[in-house]
């Protein structure tokens, strides 16, 4: 889910140098609404106003109607970071109603007006990048370097879709009849429900909200209970740069996820639902959204194959495996879940990968030198531990790692000789475990790679161009990295096939998900 080109990072850094951070001076009412940072870590923020502990409805920062809250903790330390309102059905309906009312005027703004406001938001994100990255590290646990990378990646979607706002072209279509002119125009679909995961708490917001706003839609965001602060910081910056009340709404919850999710899918005022998460939840939400035939885009589970042929450049293949498998401690949907290595290079690849992984430094994301942080919670560690134990019991060998560490940490692991029926080949591990599987032929590995209900991403390493094309085309996935472990930027479409979902995010396809095509046929000409 995360990949930033050096060029994009360089441009963002240049922009950051060119922009003077805007000092936030809260009013008395804003001060009364804000919660002070409750921990020493959160107090590290340069701008305490970015740590919002209320939800946003119709331009106002609000508590839950009954005053209830839930706690957010740093997964690396267990430290309490703060709290967020435990919103319910009433507040969700209010947010949707606010978005529906705001749509009446926001949808009529010009593409240039939306472009300009999104560019201001991008500039604000770049100017506050250090704080936004710190919030990511605190609530998600990823290292400072990873969090900064996500911050740059998140901002890039706002920049890209600011520009795409002005490129939502229609067509003139020749008519077979005399005196008729056919034209199409693009119009915003309406209020959009945005449901995001915890593994990229900032980027998954901007990848969905950026194109929605650029298209002229309004949004109601339900961030994950584990990591709500990044979405609230994003909303705070949007408020500061001038987004109108009701255009962006954020509803937080921990206990009431089911009823809020159902309302966000079934409410008749909502015209589009965008969801990233598990396939099981995706199916449930799709069934709910079908009640009013809402447009929906889904990025669900993955089980990415990573294929290394005998003729591959092993240096590049190992580097690619490090990126595709161990980024964010293996907690990405496009992680290489199954690593297939051809027999001729299997032993060398396994030894060299294990050597690299053994050099990782696991720890608190705030500590200098940390390369890999914790998993999001103990249940995630339990799953990884179960997958490793199952593979070993079935005959796999542990080359490095393989054990649970204190707290929410699991040692980065490389397993060799993983059998094809091991749980980690069937289920998405979502943790720092590389399972190596030996194969012999091209046809064999394509069959193995496609033997899954999922189809999000795949990776192929080979110096044979013909083979790279054949295998890339043969993989039943939405995206293929051929000799690269990096797949996502704001400029290209991201999404899967089969039970990994439908629809695309990013690229020119991303904004199309939030637009309808209207035909206007002029007669009597």
């Amino acid at each position: 889910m995360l990949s930033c080109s050096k060029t994009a990072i360089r441009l963002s850094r240049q922009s950051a140098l060119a922009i003077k951070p805007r000092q936030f001076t809260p009013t008395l009412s804003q001060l009364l609404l804000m919660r002070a940072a409750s921990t020493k870590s959160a107090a590290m923020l340069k701008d305490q106003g970015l740590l919002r502990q209320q939800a946003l409805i119709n331009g106002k920062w609000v508590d839950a109607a009954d005053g209830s809250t839930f706690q957010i903790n740093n997964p690396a330390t267990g430290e309490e970071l703060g709290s967020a309102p435990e919103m319910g059905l009433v507040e969700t309906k209010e947010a949707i109603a606010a978005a529906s009312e705001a749509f009446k005027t926001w949808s009529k703004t010009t593409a240039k007006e939306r472009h300009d406001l999104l560019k201001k938001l991008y500039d604000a994100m770049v100017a506050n990048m250090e704080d936004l990255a710190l919030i990511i590290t605190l609530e998600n646990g990823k290292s400072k370097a990873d969090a900064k990378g996500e911050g740059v990646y998140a901002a890039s979607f706002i920049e890209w879709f600011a520009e795409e706002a002005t490129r939502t072209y229609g067509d003139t279509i020749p008519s077979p009849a005399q005196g008729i002119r056919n034209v199409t125009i693009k119009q915003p679909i309406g209020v959009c429900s945005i449901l995001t995961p915890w593994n990229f708490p900032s980027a998954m917001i901007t990848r969905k909200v950026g194109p929605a706003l650029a298209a002229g839609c309004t949004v109601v965001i339900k961030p994950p209970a584990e990591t709500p602060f990044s979405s609230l910081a994003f909303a705070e910056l949007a408020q500061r740069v001038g987004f109108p009340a009701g255009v962006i709404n954020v509803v937080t919850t921990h206990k009431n996820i089911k009823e809020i999710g159902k309302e966000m899918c079934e409410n008749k005022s909502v015209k589009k639902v965008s969801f990233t998460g598990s396939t099981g939840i995706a199916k449930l939400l799709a069934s709910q959204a079908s009640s009013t035939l809402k447009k929906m885009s889904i990025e669900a589970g993955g089980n990415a194959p990573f294929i290394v042929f005998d003729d591959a450049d092993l240096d590049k293949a190992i580097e690619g495996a490090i990126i595709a498998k161990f980024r964010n401690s293996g907690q990405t949907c496009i992680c290489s879940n199954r690593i297939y290595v051809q027999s001729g290079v299997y032993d060398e690849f396994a030894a060299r990968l294990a050597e690299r992984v053994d050099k990782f430094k696991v720890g608190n994301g705030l500590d200098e030198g940390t390369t890999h942080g914790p998993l999001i919670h103990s249940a995630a560690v339990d799953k990884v531990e179960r997958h490793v134990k199952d593979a070993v019991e079935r005959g796999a060998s542990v080359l490095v790692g393989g054990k649970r560490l204190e707290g929410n940490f699991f040692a980065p692991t490389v397993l060799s000789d993983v059998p094809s029926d091991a749980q980690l080949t069937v289920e998405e591990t979502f943790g720092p475990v590389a399972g190596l599987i030996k194969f012999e032929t091209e046809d064999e590995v394509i069959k193995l790679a496609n033997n899954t209900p999922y189809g999000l991403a795949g990776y192929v390493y080979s110096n044979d161009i013909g083979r790279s094309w054949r295998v890339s085309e043969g993989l039943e996935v939405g995206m293929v990295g051929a000799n690269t472990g990096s797949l996502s930027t704001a400029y290209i479409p991201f999404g899967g096939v089969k039970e990994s979902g439908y629809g695309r995010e990013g690229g020119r396809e991303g904004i199309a998900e939030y637009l309808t095509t209207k035909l206007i046929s002029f007669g009597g000409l």
Side-chain angles (χ1 to χ4, degrees):
M1 254 182 220
L2 175 59
S3 175
C4 302
S5 69
K6 292 180 180 178
T7 300
I9 294 173
R10 184 172 64 250
L11 288 173
S12 295
R13 286 173 177 165
Q14 289 170 349
S15 298
L17 293 174
I19 299 163
K20 188 175 182 179
R22 178 179 172 183
Q23 184 63 37
F24 174 52
T25 306
T27 64
L28 177 60
S29 61
Q30 287 172 322
L31 283 170
L32 291 173
L33 288 171
M34 281 184 208
R35 309 293 205 279
S38 61
T39 67
K40 187 182 295 184
S41 295
M44 294 166 59
L45 290 170
K46 297 175 184 177
D47 185 344
Q48 292 293 313
L50 291 176
L51 188 66
R52 280 289 185 178
Q53 298 187 62
Q54 290 177 296
L56 180 65
I57 298 177
N58 200 25
K60 297 179 181 179
W61 294 100
V62 296
D63 295 313
D66 63 2
S68 60
T69 63
F70 61 95
Q71 183 176 307
I72 296 92
N73 299 318
N74 183 333
T77 64
E79 174 186 40
E80 181 181 350
L81 300 173
S83 63
E86 185 63 78
M87 309 300 255
L89 199 56
V90 171
E91 296 93 335
T92 303
K93 288 181 177 181
E94 289 176 359
I96 293 171
S100 183
E101 184 64 26
F103 179 74
K104 295 175 184 177
T105 52
W106 179 249
S107 61
K108 291 180 172 59
T109 56
T110 68
K112 181 62 166 57
E113 288 171 332
R114 298 193 296 273
H115 164 277
D116 291 350
L117 204 48
L118 283 164
K119 283 290 287 181
K120 287 181 181 179
L121 179 54
Y122 167 75
D123 291 344
M125 292 184 71
V126 172
N128 290 277
M129 189 60 69
E130 293 296 332
D131 276 351
L132 296 178
L134 177 58
I135 291 172
I136 292 171
T137 293
L138 289 173
E139 64 179 354
N140 172 276
K142 64 180 64 177
S143 70
K144 289 189 290 186
D146 248 4
K148 183 65 178 294
E150 181 183 344
V152 172
Y153 180 53
S156 73
F157 283 103
I158 300 302
E159 181 185 39
W160 169 259
F161 285 112
E163 296 163 352
E164 284 298 285
T166 61
R167 294 194 280 264
T168 54
Y169 309 129
D171 293 300
T172 301
I173 305 168
S175 171
Q178 291 289 338
I180 297 290
R181 298 294 183 271
N182 297 315
V183 298
T184 60
I185 60 172
K186 304 292 185 179
Q187 293 184 304
I189 195 167
V191 177
C192 300
S193 291
I194 307 294
L195 301 106
T196 63
W198 48 260
N199 57 340
F200 289 89
S202 181
M204 292 303 95
I205 294 290
T206 59
R207 195 162 79 178
K208 298 173 185 296
V209 174
L213 298 177
C217 299
T218 56
V219 299
V220 178
I221 303 166
K222 189 209 73 63
E226 297 88 348
T227 59
F229 290 145
S230 289
S231 60
L232 294 171
F234 170 81
E236 167 64 21
L237 291 177
Q239 289 279 91
R240 293 185 191 181
V241 302
F243 275 87
V247 172
I248 300 172
N249 305 272
V250 185
V251 177
T252 57
T253 185
H254 175 66
K255 293 188 306 183
N256 301 320
I257 293 175
K258 288 184 179 180
E259 67 179 42
I260 286 179
K262 187 172 186 289
E263 181 66 21
M264 291 177 73
C265 287
E266 294 185 351
N267 190 296
K268 292 182 179 180
S269 293
V270 174
K271 305 304 179 185
K272 162 72 191 281
V273 178
S274 179
F275 169 76
T276 296
S278 72
T279 294
I281 298 300
K283 291 178 179 180
L284 172 62
L285 296 178
S287 68
Q288 293 170 348
S290 69
S291 65
T292 52
L293 295 181
K294 285 179 175 54
K295 187 173 184 179
M296 192 170 188
S297 56
I298 293 173
E299 184 213 318
N303 192 1
F306 188 99
I307 303 169
V308 182
F309 286 96
D310 286 345
D311 60 2
D313 182 324
L314 286 193
D315 289 334
K316 292 181 180 178
I318 291 167
E319 194 62 37
I322 296 295
I323 295 170
K325 173 67 259 184
F326 291 100
R327 184 180 295 280
N328 195 23
S329 296
Q331 298 173 114
T332 76
C333 57
I334 57 173
C335 266
S336 49
N337 210 51
R338 301 164 292 156
I339 301 181
Y340 297 103
V341 186
Q342 203 164 17
S343 58
V345 293
Y346 183 89
D347 291 339
E348 182 182 357
F349 181 90
R352 291 176 60 182
L353 180 63
E355 183 181 7
R356 283 289 303 277
V357 171
D358 195 39
K359 295 178 181 178
F360 291 167
K361 181 181 177 182
V362 178
N364 188 336
L366 295 177
D367 294 342
E368 289 299 327
T370 293
T371 60
H372 293 77
L375 300 187
I376 192 65
H377 43 53
S378 61
V381 184
D382 291 343
K383 182 178 184 181
V384 174
E385 186 176 41
R386 174 168 55 84
H387 278 193
V388 170
K389 181 179 179 181
D390 171 77
V392 171
E393 288 178 348
R394 294 173 187 269
S397 300
V398 177
L399 299 185
V400 65
K403 59 184 179 181
R404 187 177 194 140
L405 304 176
E406 186 177 351
N408 292 328
F409 294 90
F410 197 94
T413 299
V414 178
L415 303 176
S416 66
D417 302 318
V418 174
S420 59
D421 60 349
Q423 286 180 348
L424 68 79
T425 70
V426 178
E427 300 177 4
E428 189 175 22
T429 302
F430 232 62
V433 179
L436 308 185
I437 304 166
K438 188 182 296 183
F439 76 92
E440 299 294 338
T441 69
E442 183 179 315
D443 289 342
E444 173 196 3
V445 78
I446 291 175
K447 184 177 180 179
L448 287 169
N450 290 337
N451 186 28
T452 174
Y454 305 106
L456 188 56
Y459 305 87
V460 180
Y461 277 79
S462 171
N463 280 330
D464 183 327
I465 297 299
R467 169 181 280 164
S468 294
W469 272 109
R470 287 192 304 272
V471 177
S472 294
E473 291 181 353
L475 291 178
E476 296 170 353
V477 296
M479 302 171 286
V480 178
N483 293 319
T484 178
S486 300
L487 278 176
S488 36
T489 70
Y491 323 117
I492 55 179
F494 186 103
V497 297
K498 300 198 295 188
E499 292 189 24
S500 287
Y502 45 79
R504 293 295 181 267
E505 295 179 322
R508 65 182 183 182
E509 293 86 352
I511 197 168
E513 297 287 336
Y514 296 88
L515 293 165
T516 60
T517 300
K518 177 180 285 184
L519 169 69
I520 303 176
S521 187
F522 290 93
L525 301 179

